[in-house]
Amino acid sequence: MSAVELLSPAGTLAKGLTALHFGADAVYCGLPGFNLRRQAEGVSVAELTHLVDTAHVRGRKVYLAANIFPTDDDWHALRLGLKEIGHVGVDAVIVSDPGVLDLVGELLPGTDIHLSTQANTLSSAAAAFWFRQGVRRIILARELSIAQIRRLCRAVPDGELEVFIHGAQCMAYSGRCFLSTYLAGRDANQGECAHSCRWRYRVTEESRQGEWYEVDEGPDYTRIFSSRDLWALPVLPELVTAGPRALKIEGRMKSVYYTAVTTAVYRQALDSLQHAPRTWPVMKSKWEEELCRLPNRGYTTGFLTGATDLTEIANMLPPDGESAVFCGLFGERQADGVELHVKNTFDRRERLEVFRPDGLRTVRLETIRNHRGEWTEKAHSGLTVWVRPDIPVASGDLLRRTVGGKK
């Protein structure tokens, strides 16, 4: 089975570095103001430079999304934004709009261009057209099945095709939604989606004015508007053999912890398929359990398998009933111990684990020293502390605690 690129989200510098640490072959972030995740914390030019340099030293890649549909009012600022990152050396720019495609070719000659899923490429004829325009890679529309992806890969063997494998799914066709614009004045196609599909709604019948009826809802979202999350792990062998060049995880607005877990799981799964296929049946359920420990709206394989459960309410939990709380991100080793950037308050006497690229290890923190240099039993959210773990840890590893399940 040939190698396939694993592409992970980098909504911030920290998330990008985490994705690289946990095995991403490439990461993608947004051109500030001109990508479809404007609410993401973002990456400055200096941070982007650092991310690109770090990735290139490790033989990895960084792609930059400039995939809004701009109006003429956006053009001057877009041109300036692309010029500003010209020296950084990103490996590709992701675009949706034909005009932006031409602009990238003009301002960043020699830089690969990837076509966004927003361009909703569904056929080999459309793919061939875009490749003739100089596009290096096409991120396929999410409405395709594995069988259709396989046919496309065979029809354009010299072109690179990319497929989403995990994350939130928009209910609109290839993400082209107007609900947010209509209800909130925030254009999803300009990167300002308010996620209106997940709001709570009531409806009324025309002849019964004043009588309101609840729309069928789950605990956190509206069933008829909002899809389950995508996961391709159950069908990963079939998808890989279909022939796409790259598999992409959605989630630039998700947490560092989400980035780490999804990247690690799919990295291990892809490596298993390529180098140790006999381990796949044994490990598959463990990887699925790990993904179920992440916050989710229930998972579906979606259009990949023609699933009919896109909007069914079913948050998925691991069989053991345990959940995991992200406690902190390990930094550099210093004289006082290992630096730990605390994300959620924890007590050192709790059930703690280190989440590493090669898997999980139980850990005991022998000591915690807080920012005032005091010994303490508890580390508080938002602070940096120094700890002495009883096992080796590396910068970029995560600390978490388990909740519930069997003791």
Side-chain angles (χ1 to χ4, degrees):
M1 187 172 292
S2 61
V4 60
E5 179 182 276
L6 177 62
L7 178 56
S8 294
T12 64
L13 174 61
K15 295 172 189 176
L17 295 176
T18 295
L20 294 174
H21 179 67
F22 281 90
D25 298 303
V27 298
Y28 65 101
C29 51
L31 179 66
F34 296 99
N35 68 94
L36 290 178
R37 289 295 182 269
R38 287 190 181 186
Q39 290 82 30
E41 297 161 85
V43 179
S44 68
V45 175
E47 290 173 329
L48 178 61
T49 302
H50 178 56
L51 182 60
V52 169
D53 289 345
T54 302
H56 288 177
V57 165
R58 301 181 185 184
R60 321 285 180 82
K61 294 182 178 181
V62 176
Y63 307 141
L64 188 70
N67 57 339
I68 68 162
F69 290 97
T71 65
D72 284 339
D73 295 335
D74 300 314
W75 214 253
H76 178 67
L78 176 58
R79 177 179 285 271
L80 292 179
L82 287 171
K83 282 185 175 179
E84 190 176 17
I85 60 93
H87 69 281
V88 174
V90 295
D91 296 280
V93 178
I94 304 168
V95 307
S96 301
D97 183 89
V100 180
L101 187 155
D102 282 346
L103 186 62
V104 172
E106 172 194 338
L107 299 179
L108 304 174
T111 301
D112 286 347
I113 297 175
H114 294 180
L115 188 70
S116 171
T117 191
Q118 296 291 120
N120 53 282
T121 305
L122 292 153
S123 69
S124 55
F129 168 82
W130 285 114
F131 287 134
R132 289 197 300 272
Q133 311 314 308
V135 168
R136 175 65 179 270
R137 177 186 295 180
I138 295 172
I139 306 162
L140 293 175
R142 301 191 196 191
E143 291 78 20
L144 292 169
S145 68
I146 292 177
Q148 290 170 319
I149 292 168
R150 180 180 293 109
R151 287 197 293 270
L152 261 168
C153 291
R154 290 173 178 173
V156 288
D158 298 326
E160 295 185 5
L161 300 178
E162 181 176 300
V163 177
F164 275 96
I165 57 169
H166 197 93
Q169 297 190 103
C170 182
M171 288 298 288
Y173 196 82
S174 288
R176 292 189 171 191
C177 180
F178 295 96
L179 188 63
S180 176
T181 303
Y182 183 78
L183 293 177
R186 288 167 52 178
D187 190 346
N189 299 302
Q190 293 279 326
E192 298 177 342
C193 181
H195 302 289
S196 304
C197 61
R198 297 170 198 160
W199 296 355
R200 294 180 177 272
Y201 293 91
R202 292 193 300 167
V203 298
T204 187
E205 198 274 324
E206 188 177 72
S207 65
R208 294 175 174 82
Q209 296 297 318
E211 295 183 28
W212 293 93
Y213 304 90
E214 293 289 334
V215 174
D216 192 12
E217 298 177 358
D220 301 311
Y221 65 95
T222 307
R223 177 176 182 173
I224 65 170
F225 291 146
S226 185
S227 168
R228 285 192 188 189
D229 292 339
L230 172 69
W231 72 345
L233 186 67
V235 294
L236 198 62
E238 296 89 339
L239 181 57
V240 170
T241 56
R245 173 67 182 85
L247 302 178
K248 185 175 193 174
I249 298 169
E250 183 277 338
R252 277 183 285 150
M253 295 180 68
K254 300 286 182 67
S255 67
V256 167
Y257 181 64
Y258 168 92
T259 301
V261 172
T262 54
T263 302
V265 165
Y266 283 100
R267 174 77 279 151
Q268 293 169 26
L270 289 171
D271 288 348
S272 169
L273 288 174
Q274 184 180 6
H275 302 296
R278 291 182 181 179
T279 66
W280 173 267
V282 177
M283 294 300 299
K284 177 174 174 287
S285 61
K286 295 184 182 298
W287 293 322
E288 289 177 345
E289 288 176 16
E290 197 58 60
L291 293 178
C292 287
R293 287 187 170 88
L294 289 171
N296 66 80
R297 301 186 195 97
Y299 286 122
T300 176
T301 51
F303 294 101
L304 292 173
T305 57
T308 58
D309 60 355
L310 284 167
T311 59
E312 289 182 7
I313 301 168
N315 278 4
M316 296 172 72
L317 300 172
D320 59 15
E322 288 186 346
S323 61
V325 177
F326 175 34
C327 294
L329 179 68
F330 286 106
E332 300 298 328
R333 181 172 295 278
Q334 301 178 3
D336 290 334
V338 181
E339 189 178 43
L340 180 70
H341 305 287
V342 184
K343 301 300 181 181
N344 286 289
T345 299
F346 69 93
D347 191 295
R348 78 176 187 89
R349 293 162 292 192
E350 294 181 279
R351 299 164 60 201
L352 300 175
E353 298 171 323
V354 175
F355 191 83
R356 311 193 304 193
D358 61 352
L360 280 173
R361 288 282 304 276
T362 300
V363 65
R364 184 174 67 86
L365 300 183
E366 296 173 347
T367 61
I368 301 177
R369 186 192 293 269
N370 65 22
H371 61 294
R372 292 189 293 267
E374 302 165 338
W375 303 109
T376 180
E377 296 295 311
K378 186 174 289 189
H380 293 276
S381 176
L383 299 180
T384 296
V385 298
W386 289 263
V387 299
R388 293 190 181 278
D390 66 346
I391 62 171
V393 298
S395 177
D397 288 350
L398 306 183
L399 181 71
R400 74 183 194 183
R401 60 186 174 91
T402 54
V403 179
K406 298 178 181 179
K407 297 294 184 181

